[in-house]
Amino acid sequence: MSEIFPVESIVRESVENDYSNSPFLHVRDDIGISLLCHTANAMNLEVQRHQKLIFEVRDGQKSIVFRQNSPENSAVYAYCARQKHIAKKLMADAGIPVPAGDVFEDYPSALRYFLEFGGEVAVKPSDGSSGAGVSCGIGGEEEFNRAWKLARHHSARVIVEQNLRGQDIRVIVIGGKAEAAYVRTPAHVVGDGIHSIRDLMERKNRIRRNNPSLRYDPLRNVDLLERRNISLDTIPSTGERVQLTSVANTSAGGETVEVLGLLDAESRRIAERAALCFPGLVQVGVDLMYCGGVPSAAHSPVYVIEVNSNPGICDAVFPSYGRAVDVPGKLLRHVLSTTTAASPRRLQVALAPVYRFSQFPRAFYQGERRQADLIKQAAFAHNLEIETLSDTVLKLRHGKFSCLFHGAIPECVRLVSRKITRNNDWMAEVLPCSEPHQQAGMGEGAGDESGRRLNHYRVLVIGNKVVAALYTQTAPQGMQTQVSRMDVSELIHPSVLSVLERTLQVIFDPFIAGIDLLMEDISRDACSQRWQVVNAVCNPHLGRHHFPDEGLPRDVAAVLLRELFPELPDSATRVACRVLVCGKVQHVGFRRWLKLMAVRHAVSGWVRNLEDGRVEAVLEGTERAVAQMVEQCKVGPLSAAVTHTEVESAPCFSRCSFSVLG
């Protein structure tokens, strides 16, 4: 295969870049952050450092929040980029060429796929970065077993995909435009006929220590040698190139050759299109594999292997060979040109409507999947188009607008807010309270100077609206703690809004937040009592408001969708149909199952058994909800065996519930 870039000749005919005099060689901080802060200072921008790789760059009233190398990243799109199987689906759906493959949780299924695939595969953890747990060029069952165990060490889900051979190219795309590109060559040494592989690795590591980008990533991974049973004491012949690893990541000992000026139009176009599949990410590292050959329906010369939501920028600034690219400057200029000054957030109380399915919590999964289920139910109720990418990741569409969700987190929530709210030490420092000097002594059940009890409230904020509040009580019950929650939304005192606004500000204003507040009485003026914000989360449990132990259930999922899709009509058009289900459908729990499915799809109506052994149902709801329910009827519960269904339209009676008759 011919090279798209003459990397070998570039390396052979040029001298490796010398950074021994670079001031960044002695920086102890994260090198990417140091580069960005240095560039920002040179541009006369204000820089404020926070904790845990988070910092702000300000230009007057404009403020851009970075987490390490990346500004303003969406928490949801960053998650999807890290989950390789979801990222591949997003790109494949957009027509981006990606390797054929699948994701597995159990070894027998993965092994069966590998044996049927009939060629070399790559095995990688679904959730991972920096090449950790990745094995390429797997052709035998014993190799596959080792690769599976390595990948499972890093992730519960493992991707088995077509192994592609070619040149590994990292393209840095900023704001949809390819701004840097470099070929990554896997870790290797070149023999001199005298020294062993071990000695050659040490010699190369001495050179790497003089590169600010490579100094902390020495050659030490030799998985390819281990698979080929080659000893580190082997002495390669003069000019013999010995590849050490099966991956080309610089963190695994790889080297970089800058090639942006040589990048062909098709490779650039594919990289930019791949980055546009993740609109919540300003900067994307797109990993291409150039395989060569003639384009056809079954073959692309260029494939996207994966994407990175927080690509290392120092590899482009300090390439092993070729010219440096000012990625920090390009990134800062882009975000400054596209950022507007944010106005202060002002909240108002606008309570969520009553939720009409509060008697059926068992219709939904627990945990993160319940979040997605409630979002789905609200989407069906509003006739939104739903695309399911995983158990917890959904894309909703209405007209030309779409929104990606991870659980209850919409794509507009920034990763920095998610990271802060999951760091207890940081939260303890920044969350507000009425008397900061007494903050450490306050806690649930504690009293003020008069001995009055401080109660625990959870307040839910969506957009600029306070939509619900719960009063939470805990009581010991044997070896466990019993928790009960009561809706107290109508008691919120207006003075509490300023407390919530202060809280949102210190966690960088997430669109949705559940804020835990200790105070004596949420219905009284906050200025007249002690209070403390003890926690805030960006993925609040919606089910706690949908299914409280006492008080009104609140349809907060519906409010979330209406805030994100402001063009939604006040009420969606409803349709109805009559369905006859034939087969083994009686005495198998079909009617009870259908009622639970109706709840999940916000569908009303009824179902009954007929004397001839069939099941009859009337389904009423939005067009998409009813259509999906009809598809569900064609399958039925696991214990059923549906042979066929008959469907006809029916009049709507604006039913509010779903009943099991007979």
Side-chain angles (χ1 to χ4, degrees):
M1 183 199 75
S2 60
E3 290 183 309
I4 184 175
F5 306 121
V7 173
E8 293 295 335
S9 61
I10 292 174
V11 173
R12 187 170 55 251
E13 297 170 7
S14 61
V15 178
E16 187 167 356
N17 291 328
D18 182 4
Y19 301 106
S20 57
N21 294 323
S22 171
F24 292 98
L25 199 58
H26 308 290
V27 170
R28 294 185 177 274
D29 201 354
D30 179 271
I31 186 67
I33 293 177
S34 298
L35 285 167
L36 285 162
C37 291
H38 175 81
T39 304
N41 289 329
M43 296 170 64
N44 294 319
L45 303 173
E46 180 186 353
V47 177
Q48 180 180 357
R49 299 292 296 268
H50 295 290
Q51 301 181 35
K52 300 293 183 182
L53 308 179
I54 294 174
F55 62 100
E56 284 182 84
V57 175
R58 295 194 183 96
D59 182 17
Q61 297 300 311
K62 295 181 180 180
S63 176
I64 300 106
V65 185
F66 282 78
R67 182 183 181 273
Q68 201 169 14
N69 305 321
S70 299
E72 307 291 324
N73 268 1
S74 159
V76 177
Y77 274 107
Y79 173 82
C80 291
R82 185 177 177 88
Q83 299 294 315
K84 296 181 177 66
H85 62 294
I86 299 178
K88 283 183 64 175
K89 179 170 176 53
L90 286 170
M91 292 186 288
D93 289 347
I96 307 297
V98 296
D102 210 338
V103 60
F104 301 92
E105 295 184 11
D106 65 285
Y107 180 74
S109 298
L111 178 62
R112 184 165 54 252
Y113 178 88
F114 164 66
L115 295 175
E116 293 174 355
F117 187 81
E120 287 187 339
V121 299
V123 181
K124 59 179 70 173
S126 176
D127 181 356
S129 60
S130 302
V134 177
S135 302
C136 300
I138 304 300
E141 187 171 338
E142 185 177 342
E143 277 187 316
F144 183 81
N145 181 270
R146 289 198 299 267
W148 171 269
K149 291 178 179 178
L150 178 62
R152 276 300 297 264
H153 180 71
H154 294 271
S155 175
R157 292 179 174 178
V158 174
I159 292 176
V160 181
E161 67 183 20
Q162 171 189 9
N163 185 73
L164 298 172
R165 294 190 179 276
Q167 284 184 309
D168 186 309
I169 309 166
R170 162 62 64 88
V171 182
I172 302 294
V173 181
I174 299 174
K177 181 182 178 183
E179 296 285 11
Y182 45 88
V183 171
R184 298 184 297 185
T185 60
H188 67 278
V189 294
V190 178
D192 59 5
I194 301 173
H195 295 90
S196 68
I197 294 175
R198 190 189 312 275
D199 294 335
L200 294 170
M201 288 174 61
E202 178 52 37
R203 179 189 297 176
K204 205 159 196 178
N205 281 335
R206 287 196 294 270
I207 297 174
R208 291 175 74 89
R209 284 194 283 270
N210 283 327
N211 185 319
S213 177
L214 305 178
R215 57 183 173 148
Y216 293 129
D217 297 314
L219 275 67
R220 55 187 170 206
N221 179 7
V222 291
D223 69 295
L224 204 56
L225 296 186
E226 292 170 352
R227 282 161 50 188
R228 295 173 176 173
N229 294 317
I230 298 175
S231 169
L232 291 178
D233 296 321
T234 301
I235 299 176
S237 59
T238 302
E240 180 185 356
R241 178 188 172 99
V242 180
Q243 186 172 328
L244 307 176
T245 65
S246 58
V247 296
N249 304 68
T250 54
S251 58
E255 297 175 347
T256 58
V257 181
E258 192 277 324
V259 293
L260 180 63
L262 302 175
L263 194 66
D264 67 289
E266 179 63 9
S267 297
R268 185 187 296 263
R269 185 182 70 87
I270 288 176
E272 291 174 347
R273 285 180 57 213
L276 290 175
C277 294
F278 303 84
L281 306 179
V282 175
Q283 176 181 229
V284 183
V286 181
D287 292 342
L288 305 179
M289 183 66 73
Y290 178 75
C291 304
V294 179
S296 68
H299 174 76
S300 171
V302 182
Y303 290 84
V304 177
I305 303 300
E306 58 187 59
V307 296
N308 192 310
S309 65
N310 185 38
I313 60 176
C314 47
D315 288 336
V317 179
F318 302 108
S320 304
Y321 299 89
R323 68 179 182 86
V325 179
D326 182 20
V327 172
K330 292 177 181 291
L331 182 57
L332 284 168
R333 284 188 287 273
H334 172 77
V335 292
L336 287 172
S337 67
T338 56
T339 300
T340 57
S343 56
R345 194 165 174 183
R346 294 292 177 258
L347 299 179
Q348 59 177 323
V349 176
L351 300 182
V354 174
Y355 179 61
R356 64 188 179 97
F357 300 103
S358 61
Q359 295 179 333
F360 304 102
R362 68 183 185 279
F364 304 95
Y365 288 102
Q366 295 294 323
E368 199 72 25
R369 292 189 66 177
R370 172 169 286 191
Q371 301 278 73
D373 284 347
L374 291 171
I375 294 295
K376 268 189 180 180
Q377 184 197 49
F380 278 122
H382 290 83
N383 203 37
L384 294 176
E385 181 182 347
I386 303 171
E387 180 184 359
T388 301
L389 299 176
S390 76
D391 291 341
T392 60
V393 178
L394 312 169
K395 178 173 280 190
L396 305 184
R397 293 186 181 88
H398 176 68
K400 295 182 179 180
F401 183 71
S402 67
C403 184
L404 193 68
F405 285 82
H406 175 214
I409 308 176
E411 63 182 55
C412 54
V413 172
R414 293 181 291 186
L415 179 63
V416 63
S417 295
R418 181 83 164 132
K419 291 292 184 180
I420 290 173
T421 54
R422 300 175 79 178
N423 186 314
N424 293 333
D425 293 337
W426 191 339
M427 293 289 280
E429 290 185 18
V430 301
L431 291 178
C433 65
S434 59
E435 302 174 36
H437 64 284
Q438 296 183 3
Q439 180 169 344
M442 298 178 70
E444 183 179 356
D448 62 12
E449 292 84 349
S450 303
R452 289 188 288 261
R453 176 185 172 86
L454 297 179
N455 295 308
H456 185 181
Y457 300 94
R458 159 61 66 88
V459 183
L460 183 63
V461 178
I462 297 175
N464 292 326
K465 297 178 179 178
V466 177
V467 300
L470 295 171
Y471 166 54
T472 301
Q473 285 183 299
T474 58
Q477 190 176 55
M479 299 295 292
Q480 298 180 332
T481 300
Q482 180 69 29
V483 180
S484 64
R485 298 178 177 89
M486 178 173 65
D487 179 78
V488 292
S489 303
E490 296 180 353
L491 301 180
I492 301 172
H493 193 277
S495 63
V496 174
L497 299 183
S498 62
V499 174
L500 303 176
E501 289 166 356
R502 288 174 59 185
T503 304
L504 293 171
Q505 184 178 11
V506 299
I507 59 174
F508 296 105
D509 283 314
F511 184 82
I512 180 172
I515 298 174
D516 290 330
L517 179 65
L518 294 183
M519 62 192 319
E520 182 185 337
D521 188 346
I522 201 170
S523 67
R524 284 179 43 211
D525 190 339
C527 298
S528 67
Q529 57 182 312
R530 291 176 67 202
W531 56 265
Q532 179 185 354
V533 178
V534 292
N535 196 20
V537 294
C538 299
N539 189 21
H541 292 286
L542 304 185
R544 293 179 180 176
H545 299 279
H546 286 245
F547 309 109
D549 298 297
E550 299 180 62
L552 291 177
R554 301 281 176 180
D555 195 353
V556 295
V559 175
L560 178 57
L561 296 195
R562 297 196 70 85
E563 288 297 297
L564 292 166
F565 295 88
E567 301 300 320
L568 284 174
D570 292 337
S571 60
T573 302
R574 294 173 68 83
V575 299
C577 70
R578 175 174 173 263
V579 184
L580 292 173
V581 188
C582 306
K584 181 186 174 183
V585 293
Q586 292 192 12
H587 309 295
V588 292
F590 195 101
R591 291 177 299 165
R592 183 177 61 179
W593 167 84
L594 191 62
K595 179 168 184 172
L596 294 180
M597 289 299 102
V599 170
R600 292 169 65 89
H601 291 77
V603 165
S604 56
W606 51 262
V607 62
R608 66 181 178 183
N609 286 339
L610 298 179
E611 292 182 357
D612 60 6
R614 295 180 298 174
V615 167
E616 179 186 21
V618 170
L619 309 173
E620 181 177 335
T622 63
E623 182 179 354
R624 286 194 171 93
V626 170
Q628 185 61 35
M629 282 291 293
V630 170
E631 293 302 310
Q632 293 284 342
C633 287
K634 294 178 181 179
V635 179
L638 291 175
S639 53
V642 178
T643 56
H644 70 280
T645 58
E646 300 173 16
V647 183
E648 61 182 36
S649 61
C652 289
F653 291 99
S654 299
R655 300 174 179 87
C656 296
S657 61
F658 193 92
S659 303
V660 175
L661 305 180

